[in-house]
Amino acid sequence: MRLAILRALADGPGHGYELIHRLEEASDGLWRPSPGSVYPTLQLLEDEGLARAEARDGKRIYELTDAGRDEVERRADEAASSLFGAHDTRPLRKE
């Protein structure tokens, strides 16, 4: 879950339900994580300094920190072999 959310955040900032949708799309609909697993993981990533959140338009928007981007890059091979990566051909980092 942790790596999948990091990878979804690598595509840009988003709120929890937006990230759930990204994960579902990236797995071609094979996996739709529940809010009960996504939100605690987002909090964990925030606590670890890999993501940060801010309120925008009444929603909590999450984005990667520099440390979070470094973690995504460091674990790129692992992400590519996961369920999330197996169906997703997008680059890990936007150029």
Side-chain angles (χ1 to χ4, degrees):
M1 174 64 71
R2 185 175 178 275
L3 182 56
I5 291 176
L6 284 169
R7 176 77 192 267
L9 285 170
D11 285 341
H15 56 80
Y17 280 95
E18 184 177 357
L19 296 171
I20 290 169
H21 182 70
R22 286 183 199 173
L23 293 170
E24 184 177 20
E25 280 187 347
S27 71
D28 290 333
L30 296 175
W31 180 50
R32 180 171 171 45
S34 71
S37 59
V38 170
Y39 284 101
T41 304
L42 286 167
Q43 183 61 57
L44 175 69
L45 294 173
E46 212 176 345
D47 292 346
E48 293 175 344
L50 301 176
R52 68 177 149 258
E54 67 177 49
R56 293 186 207 156
D57 299 323
K59 294 180 181 173
R60 198 159 160 85
I61 305 297
Y62 296 87
E63 64 184 337
L64 290 178
T65 61
D66 289 340
R69 282 186 285 282
D70 290 345
E71 179 75 359
V72 170
E73 290 296 320
R74 187 179 70 75
R75 298 182 67 186
D77 291 338
E78 186 179 339
S81 65
S82 70
L83 171 67
F84 184 76
H87 298 281
D88 189 6
T89 57
R90 295 172 296 163
L92 282 174
R93 185 171 219 162
K94 289 185 173 181
E95 299 299 327

